[in-house]
Amino acid sequence: MLTPGDLVRVIAPSGCLREMDSFNQGVEIWRSRGYNLEFAVGYDDRWGYLAGRDDRRRYQLEDALQDPDCRGIVCARGGYGTTRLLELFAKKGGQDNLPFPTPKCLIGFSDITALLWMFYKLGVFCVHGPVLTTLAAEPEWSEQRLFDLLEGRPVDALRGVGWEIGRA
């Protein structure tokens, strides 16, 4: 769980940043809630459509996971490219080479889902939630729900109405 005042690292393990206004709005939301955001070296890199070469994007993630002061990791955006990192982690040996000195929280969705599944199995608290470039577009209830979950407050189960008649 996170607490305002915690250090949260911003990484870009997937696509490169293209929407700086929405990114900056997401950063401001986190800061307005009292979090200290630190930007990984290379978060704004560009290599084709990716946020830098595979080894640089992988380093951002590893460095955040191994930093004892870092409590949370929020992704700048989704896109494409994280599956390429999974191969690199597997070749390096996975969990054996990634000690987590403090509990971590990893937040993202879209392409980031691959990382969420992998790191959830390694004991990282993973949240399928808004990345920085989409956070400001979320309705207020959704933003509140994200921070309630991250900060350990109870959240109600999601409910909705299906598009089709019948039961699932």
Side-chain angles (χ1 to χ4, degrees):
M1 301 303 156
L2 297 177
T3 303
D6 282 347
L7 175 66
V8 175
R9 185 83 58 92
V10 175
I11 66 169
S14 194
C16 61
L17 283 172
R18 291 181 272 172
E19 297 293 327
M20 291 308 293
D21 287 342
S22 60
F23 173 78
N24 290 330
Q25 290 170 355
V27 167
E28 184 51 39
I29 289 169
W30 274 86
R31 286 183 171 156
S32 72
R33 292 192 166 261
Y35 290 93
N36 296 315
L37 267 59
E38 182 178 279
F39 300 89
V41 173
Y43 82 95
D44 57 352
D45 283 357
R46 182 180 288 249
W47 188 57
Y49 53 84
L50 299 172
R53 295 186 179 274
D54 293 350
D55 59 336
R56 299 259 309 172
R57 292 180 294 115
R58 177 179 182 251
Y59 174 78
Q60 290 178 38
L61 179 58
E62 278 187 326
D63 190 50
L65 287 166
Q66 294 175 359
D67 181 350
D69 297 325
C70 175
R71 296 295 310 231
I73 304 165
V74 63
C75 296
R77 64 164 295 207
Y80 172 80
T82 59
T83 54
R84 296 163 58 122
L85 301 185
L86 298 179
E87 291 177 21
L88 293 173
F89 278 105
K91 288 178 184 173
K92 187 175 178 188
Q95 182 178 4
D96 295 338
N97 291 315
L98 288 174
F100 307 132
T102 55
K104 304 290 182 201
C105 178
L106 175 63
I107 305 124
F109 79 103
S110 183
D111 190 48
I112 307 305
T113 306
L115 294 177
L116 297 176
W117 277 110
M118 182 176 89
F119 285 105
Y120 169 76
K121 292 181 177 187
L122 299 178
V124 174
F125 177 61
C126 295
V127 176
H128 192 264
V131 293
L132 286 173
T133 56
T134 64
L135 182 57
E138 290 291 319
E140 188 176 326
W141 67 265
S142 178
E143 180 185 320
Q144 185 61 48
R145 182 180 178 84
L146 170 67
F147 287 97
D148 283 346
L149 178 65
L150 292 173
E151 294 168 5
R153 292 184 291 276
V155 294
D156 293 331
L158 289 174
R159 302 200 185 282
V161 178
W163 295 346
E164 297 291 329
I165 298 171
R167 297 181 72 164

